[in-house]
Amino acid sequence: MVLYTPIPLELVLAGTEPVRRYREAVVRGVPVLVEETAPGRGCVVRLLSTDPFDYLMPGLAPGTEVNFS
């Protein structure tokens, strides 16, 4: 499908992306960035820790569902 319009693409597609809520949380004593999927529950996006051993924990891998408070 081709859409011919003088309106900028950003305005045509505005509002079509899902709204994602990101939140910094502490899970198992490690600071992480979480995409909130439900109240108190989310998916790990990335670790914010400076400790290299935190990156070896399989329970904090990106994409893992975690509970946070």
Side-chain angles (χ1 to χ4, degrees):
M1 180 175 106
V2 178
L3 176 64
Y4 295 102
T5 178
I7 301 172
L9 183 62
E10 293 81 22
L11 293 177
V12 172
L13 299 178
T16 59
E17 294 182 16
V19 176
R20 297 182 183 205
R21 286 192 252 154
Y22 296 105
R23 178 177 177 187
E24 290 184 18
V26 177
V27 178
R28 299 182 194 159
V30 180
V32 295
L33 183 65
V34 176
E35 180 181 354
E36 198 171 346
T37 56
R41 188 147 177 80
C43 183
V44 175
V45 176
R46 70 183 197 198
L47 272 68
L48 302 175
S49 175
T50 56
D51 185 5
F53 290 106
D54 291 340
Y55 290 84
L56 298 175
M57 296 175 67
L60 294 178
T64 306
E65 288 283 329
V66 293
N67 293 324
F68 59 90
S69 56

